[in-house]
Amino acid sequence: IGHPEIFPLVFTTKTQEIFNCRVNEDVTEENCFKLIKKEDIIQDLKTRAAISDFHPVKKVVLEYPGEELLVVFDAKFQYGQNFYLVASEEAKENLLKPPETAEEKEEEKEEENREETPEVHPYTPPVHKPWVSLGSEKEVEEESVKDTVRKIKYMISRVRRKFGAPITFTDKNASRVKDSYVECTSYQDKNFSIKMLEKDVGVQMVPKVREASTQTKWTYPKNTATQYFPRQLSNEEKEEHLSSEKLKDFLTSVRLRMEIALQQNEIMNAFFDDWKALAEDESSSGGKPDVYLKAYQSFTDLRYLKDRTISCICWHPTIYGIIAVSARKRLSHEEQVNLSDTSLLQQSVILFWSFFVPLHPQLILECPEDVYCFQFSPRDPNIIVGGCINGQVVLWDISQHEEKLQNAKPVADEITMTAVNMVNAPILNILYTEPSLVRYCAVSSIQYCHKKTVTDIHWLPDYFEDNRMGATFENREEIRMQLVTCSPDCSILFWDVPATKLPERSSSEKVNKDEIFSMPPDVPDTFKHVDLCWKPLIKINLRESDTNTEYSPVRISLKELHYHYKTSEKLQSLNTLEVSARDRLYTEMSTPSSKNLKALQNIFTDFFVGTEDGEIVYSDWLMEIDSDSAKPVSQKRTQKYTIHTETINTLQRSPFFKDIILSVGGRNFAIWKEGVTNGPILQSSCSAGRNTAGCWSLTRPGVFYIGRDDGNIDIWDLLKKTYEPSHLQNVSKSVITFISPWISSSKQHFLAVSDDLGALHVLEICETLSHPSGNEHANILDYFEREIKYLKHREQEFQ
């Protein structure tokens, strides 16, 4: 800074007390100089050593030639600290006695001369001058207001003697007095119809000027003490204050204001959500919002869907525009049990609809009982499995009707209506043939199936299989398929689906007549060898080992259930097993020998279950033999979470994050992360209505749909809002029962929605909801990670 002889220093309160240079006491901004003896500074360096504030300039102090050093208080922090040391005698003298400039000397001389010869100015009285007119009196006369209307004067008098006399009022008849009744009719007053001429009026405004000033008083920080314990009054002091007149007068004076404040608190809504009021209103921007579900197609059938509700929706995996639905009666369980004549019950079917022919179904699958859920096989889409309300599992084979579904076209495209063919109108009726009725190929044994309704069903991946202990092995023959079902009877069953084609037998082997079942001629013999004798491979009873409490599962979610409907894409990298060369005939349901098999590694056997009571249960299907009871038991302790108050209707994993699960039930929903045991990472608040269905978006990681009992669908977009749905759309007048999305192409996305009236609505998803943003996957993943950290942090605070 151009002053090498100046060294900035920081003087603490202790140093200021030692050398008597306390701020605002010993030194001020006006009197900022302080001379300190060199011996005192050296003694302080010896006493406090490195703690001394002079330690940074120790070498300068020891080499200083003089006996006293100049320390200057830097109030404006010109050199960066509150003090600075002057390290030269010349600079010290210049600061203590600054040299006078030539101008200052001349001013001093002039002042001395003025003091010696003071100037005297004589008083001159003011001289009166005549007023000279410049013509302003004419302007004042023109602008002045003069009264031109003659004023009316009234004089009212009274006799002196009547002053102060009492007045008496009496009643008289108007007919007795002459001219007592006068009619006041309306007339036009010309005084109010005169048009006033425009006047030129000048007004002079003089602002009021007020001089005021303010200055902030600067105070330096000082050490203060804060009382951290309350002061309490003694009993005598309390009685004295309570009985004082001052307290009584104060309570009397503030009583009215306190009552008014309490009334205002009652009138005002204390729980008003200001943040919600500040949110943007989409309707105020004008025009149609860019988030919507467009009605594309609607299907219903008066014969098979009358007085029935749609329980499940499945899109055909490979054929465009084909969608299948299952229906069940809208009767309670008691009403169905009390029906004595089962022939009066409506026929239970699964209907296949096509976009091209919306008038009638293309294919009908006959069911032994009402089907609650069904799924297409991931290996062969022509194989369909369903779960009935009586607990049985049913298999269908629609391979003979695959060509009909692929060639489904509207009649308008096949025939051109002209005047010629209108004569042959009856021929058109022949084209509307009855849809094909396909009977089921096999049904499970009633003795070994579920005791209650099969509420959820899933296919297992085709690259591994389970044995009766729950151990996972590779599918050796690559033709075996397995599935898992759950039911409110507290059980989860794993089924081994037999081969769709029997291997050829040698001539030495003979087929027993007992293995061949009598089947109708139009039913394919795909699974005829297991009809009515099909048994589950594994049965898991879901209960707590400590309290022996049973759970009633209605939804199940496994991590390894994400598959693709392409038979050519098989996981050949898992071929680490020693495959037995012996062929196996699947004429009966039996567990394959695991002696020559090696269990697959890194296969997740954990699963989520949603119960009938609204509980979320996390457990493991892998079993081990208990050393005490010699019975298979689960290796993992079951975890239970009570979030929902009603039955879980949706338990679905995200298609983008395999460990993120959406659960819907009752009046709220929750999002879970596998491995996080603290609870859900996101839980919605209780809504006014019930949430009856839900599903994830197939293209956007942060979007999911929630169906409600009032026929509306809540569209949730976690990138926009996490406390309420970003959009609400009405679809039906009845309860939404099922939601299923489907991607037909990169530009066309559908959402199938069913209601309690038996109607199927196909909605086209808009571009905003179907096309993700560039960083949506990373943003949603970051949002989930933040919620997990917040959940763990909150748990640590409560602990």
Side-chain angles (χ1 to χ4, degrees):
I1 58 179
H3 298 281
E5 69 278 0
I6 293 177
F7 295 90
L9 293 176
V10 178
F11 279 9
T12 60
T13 307
K14 184 68 176 177
T15 303
Q16 295 176 15
E17 293 178 355
I18 292 174
F19 295 100
N20 296 324
C21 56
R22 290 168 291 187
V23 177
N24 291 339
E25 294 183 7
D26 299 325
V27 290
T28 60
E29 186 175 358
E30 293 79 11
N31 186 16
C32 59
F33 302 108
K34 180 67 178 180
L35 292 173
I36 302 176
K37 293 182 178 181
K38 181 178 178 181
E39 297 178 357
D40 296 342
I41 297 175
I42 295 173
Q43 183 64 31
D44 183 69
L45 290 171
K46 293 179 181 180
T47 304
R48 296 196 295 171
I51 306 176
S52 175
D53 293 338
F54 289 96
H55 186 267
V57 293
K58 179 178 179 182
K59 185 177 179 180
V60 177
V61 173
L62 296 177
E63 296 177 355
Y64 189 76
E67 296 181 356
E68 291 183 342
L69 284 84
L70 178 62
V71 176
V72 184
F73 170 56
D74 193 357
K76 297 182 180 179
F77 290 87
Q78 182 179 0
Y79 297 100
Q81 304 296 343
N82 57 351
F83 285 86
Y84 61 86
L85 177 68
V86 180
S88 66
E89 288 288 334
E90 183 181 358
K92 182 175 71 174
E93 294 297 332
N94 291 336
L95 290 175
L96 293 176
K97 297 178 180 180
E100 296 180 354
T101 60
E103 295 178 356
E104 292 178 352
K105 292 180 179 179
E106 291 179 359
E107 291 179 357
E108 290 180 359
K109 291 180 180 180
E110 291 178 359
E111 290 179 0
E112 291 177 358
N113 296 331
R114 289 174 184 175
E115 291 178 358
E116 292 177 358
T117 59
E119 295 181 1
V120 178
H121 298 280
Y123 173 74
T124 303
V127 179
H128 177 71
K129 298 179 181 180
W131 179 76
V132 178
S133 175
L134 299 178
S136 59
E137 67 276 5
K138 295 181 179 180
E139 296 179 359
V140 174
E141 185 179 357
E142 291 177 357
E143 297 295 337
S144 61
V145 179
K146 297 180 180 179
D147 294 334
T148 57
V149 182
R150 183 182 176 184
K151 295 182 179 180
I152 301 175
K153 298 181 180 179
Y154 292 94
M155 186 181 67
I156 302 173
S157 61
R158 193 178 186 186
V159 182
R160 179 73 180 179
R161 64 176 179 273
K162 292 184 178 181
F163 284 177
I167 300 174
T168 57
F169 297 95
T170 58
D171 295 335
K172 288 185 178 181
N173 195 352
S175 60
R176 296 181 182 179
V177 182
K178 185 180 181 181
D179 299 332
S180 61
Y181 175 73
V182 179
E183 183 180 0
C184 297
T185 58
S186 60
Y187 64 96
Q188 185 179 2
D189 192 354
K190 296 182 180 180
N191 295 327
F192 297 96
S193 61
I194 299 175
K195 295 182 180 181
M196 300 294 294
L197 297 177
E198 184 178 354
K199 293 183 178 181
D200 186 7
V201 180
V203 180
Q204 183 181 6
M205 299 295 294
V206 179
K208 295 182 178 180
V209 181
R210 179 183 177 185
E211 294 183 359
S213 61
T214 178
Q215 181 63 36
T216 303
K217 185 179 179 181
W218 171 257
T219 57
Y220 292 93
K222 296 181 181 179
N223 295 331
T224 57
T226 304
Q227 182 182 359
Y228 62 93
F229 59 91
R231 292 180 295 179
Q232 297 181 355
L233 300 175
S234 61
N235 296 330
E236 293 78 7
E237 291 176 341
K238 291 180 181 178
E239 293 180 358
E240 180 181 356
H241 285 289
L242 292 175
S243 59
S244 63
E245 294 294 332
K246 184 178 180 181
L247 179 61
K248 293 179 182 180
D249 296 340
F250 170 74
L251 295 177
T252 304
S253 62
V254 301
R255 180 183 61 83
L256 182 59
R257 285 184 289 170
M258 192 65 185
E259 290 180 356
I260 296 174
L262 292 175
Q263 292 175 2
Q264 290 177 348
N265 290 338
E266 291 293 332
I267 297 172
M268 179 181 176
N269 183 12
F271 301 98
F272 181 76
D273 192 358
D274 296 300
W275 290 107
K276 188 175 182 180
L278 292 175
E280 296 182 357
D281 189 5
E282 295 179 353
S283 61
S284 62
S285 60
K288 189 176 182 180
D290 56 348
V291 179
Y292 61 91
L293 299 174
K294 181 181 178 181
Y296 184 82
Q297 193 66 267
S298 181
F299 303 96
T300 187
D301 190 273
L302 298 179
R303 177 179 176 183
Y304 296 102
L305 298 180
K306 185 179 180 181
D307 298 331
R308 298 172 75 85
T309 178
I310 296 178
S311 57
C312 186
I313 303 173
C314 283
W315 294 84
H316 197 284
T318 58
I319 304 177
Y320 172 81
I322 300 298
I323 183 171
V325 296
S326 63
R328 59 182 176 86
K329 277 192 171 293
R330 291 201 299 265
L331 300 176
S332 62
H333 180 71
E334 292 77 6
E335 291 175 340
Q336 293 184 6
V337 172
N338 294 333
L339 290 177
S340 58
D341 189 3
T342 57
S343 62
L344 297 178
L345 290 174
Q346 197 169 358
Q347 185 179 6
S348 301
V349 293
I350 294 178
L351 304 179
F352 281 70
W353 296 92
S354 174
F355 285 177
F356 304 104
V357 187
L359 299 178
H360 55 83
Q362 294 297 298
L363 195 65
I364 299 176
L365 304 186
E366 184 181 2
C367 311
E369 294 288 344
D370 286 351
V371 174
Y372 195 93
C373 55
F374 68 99
Q375 288 289 336
F376 288 89
S377 172
R379 185 176 180 83
D380 186 3
N382 293 321
I383 304 301
I384 303 172
V385 63
C388 300
I389 61 173
N390 63 348
Q392 288 183 299
V393 180
V394 190
L395 287 170
W396 291 271
D397 184 6
I398 61 171
S399 56
Q400 299 178 1
H401 308 275
E402 182 180 5
E403 184 177 358
K404 179 182 179 181
L405 295 177
Q406 291 179 351
N407 299 329
K409 294 181 179 180
V411 179
D413 295 341
E414 298 178 358
I415 296 180
T416 304
M417 297 298 295
T418 60
V420 177
N421 57 31
M422 284 298 293
V423 180
N424 300 326
I427 302 177
L428 290 176
N429 296 330
I430 302 176
L431 299 175
Y432 291 97
T433 57
E434 286 289 328
S436 302
L437 183 64
V438 181
R439 193 179 184 275
Y440 53 90
C441 300
V443 65
S444 62
S445 173
I446 299 179
Q447 182 179 359
Y448 299 101
C449 65
H450 290 287
K451 306 305 178 185
K452 292 184 179 180
T453 304
V454 180
T455 54
D456 204 2
I457 189 168
H458 294 284
W459 290 92
L460 293 177
D462 56 354
Y463 57 83
F464 69 83
E465 59 180 304
D466 289 350
N467 63 0
R468 292 188 181 275
M469 293 302 298
T472 306
F473 301 93
E474 186 185 5
N475 188 356
R476 298 179 304 176
E477 294 83 1
E478 296 186 354
I479 55 177
R480 181 186 296 272
M481 295 180 293
Q482 293 182 344
L483 54 92
V484 58
T485 59
C486 68
S487 174
D489 61 351
C490 308
S491 66
I492 298 174
L493 301 182
F494 286 78
W495 302 80
D496 195 353
V497 181
T500 57
K501 295 182 180 180
L502 291 175
E504 296 180 3
R505 301 186 180 184
S506 61
S507 58
S508 60
E509 295 178 358
K510 297 181 180 180
V511 180
N512 296 330
K513 294 183 179 180
D514 297 336
E515 295 179 355
I516 302 177
F517 296 88
S518 59
M519 299 287 288
D522 57 340
V523 177
D525 58 348
T526 311
F527 307 104
K528 66 177 183 179
H529 47 285
V530 296
D531 190 21
L532 298 176
C533 62
W534 190 15
K535 302 176 184 178
L537 185 65
I538 307 173
K539 181 178 181 180
I540 300 176
N541 291 324
L542 207 60
R543 61 166 59 92
E544 283 189 17
S545 58
D546 300 339
T547 60
N548 203 22
T549 303
E550 293 186 345
Y551 301 109
S552 303
V554 292
R555 289 290 184 269
I556 186 171
S557 176
L558 292 84
K559 191 171 185 178
E560 293 293 335
L561 290 186
H562 297 274
Y563 40 73
H564 300 278
Y565 288 92
K566 292 182 180 180
T567 56
S568 61
E569 297 179 359
K570 299 200 180 300
L571 300 180
Q572 302 294 342
S573 61
L574 296 178
N575 190 12
T576 58
L577 309 177
E578 299 176 3
V579 181
S580 176
R582 183 185 58 180
D583 293 336
R584 178 176 299 274
L585 301 179
Y586 302 107
T587 55
E588 61 180 6
M589 294 303 298
S590 61
T591 306
S593 176
S594 60
K595 295 181 179 179
N596 299 326
L597 296 177
K598 181 180 179 181
L600 291 175
Q601 303 297 327
N602 300 327
I603 297 297
F604 287 86
T605 56
D606 301 336
F607 62 95
F608 277 87
V609 163
T611 67
E612 200 173 24
D613 300 327
E615 299 170 337
I616 300 295
V617 181
Y618 186 61
S619 185
D620 187 0
W621 81 61
L622 192 61
M623 299 293 179
E624 65 176 358
I625 300 298
D626 190 9
S627 58
D628 300 332
S629 60
K631 294 182 179 180
V633 295
S634 177
Q635 295 182 0
K636 188 175 182 180
R637 180 178 177 84
T638 302
Q639 299 177 3
K640 181 184 69 173
Y641 306 93
T642 304
I643 298 296
H644 306 279
T645 58
E646 296 180 24
T647 303
I648 304 297
N649 54 67
T650 300
L651 191 65
Q652 188 182 55
R653 290 181 182 266
S654 171
F656 300 91
F657 310 100
K658 307 306 180 184
D659 53 354
I660 298 296
I661 299 97
L662 171 66
S663 64
V664 181
R667 299 182 181 273
N668 62 345
F669 70 89
I671 296 179
W672 310 77
K673 181 176 176 61
E674 196 165 17
V676 178
T677 60
N678 304 333
I681 60 177
L682 177 62
Q683 181 181 353
S684 68
S685 58
C686 292
S687 59
R690 293 171 51 250
N691 300 327
T692 56
C695 71
W696 289 97
S697 171
L698 298 179
T699 55
R700 290 196 54 187
V703 174
F704 54 93
Y705 308 91
I706 302 295
R708 305 195 313 192
D709 59 347
D710 56 357
N712 295 327
I713 290 182
D714 291 336
I715 303 173
W716 288 79
D717 190 352
L718 298 181
L719 287 180
K720 292 184 177 180
K721 300 177 182 179
T722 58
Y723 58 93
E724 66 177 1
S726 61
H727 188 66
L728 174 68
Q729 183 161 340
N730 181 264
V731 177
S732 174
K733 296 181 180 179
S734 183
V735 180
I736 302 297
T737 59
F738 205 91
I739 303 177
S740 178
W742 181 250
I743 304 174
S744 62
S745 65
S746 60
K747 296 183 179 180
Q748 197 172 32
H749 304 258
F750 295 108
L751 188 70
V753 181
S754 62
D755 58 16
D756 196 45
L757 300 177
L760 174 64
H761 308 272
V762 179
L763 309 175
E764 188 174 2
I765 304 175
C766 65
E767 185 177 356
T768 305
L769 296 175
S770 58
H771 291 74
S773 59
N775 299 325
E776 181 170 350
H777 188 279
N779 293 336
I780 294 299
L781 182 61
D782 184 53
Y783 169 73
F784 288 153
E785 294 298 330
R786 292 198 308 269
E787 292 297 322
I788 293 171
K789 292 180 181 178
Y790 169 73
L791 194 64
K792 294 180 180 179
H793 178 70
R794 188 177 63 177
E795 185 180 19
Q796 292 176 0
E797 288 183 349
F798 287 122
Q799 289 178 355

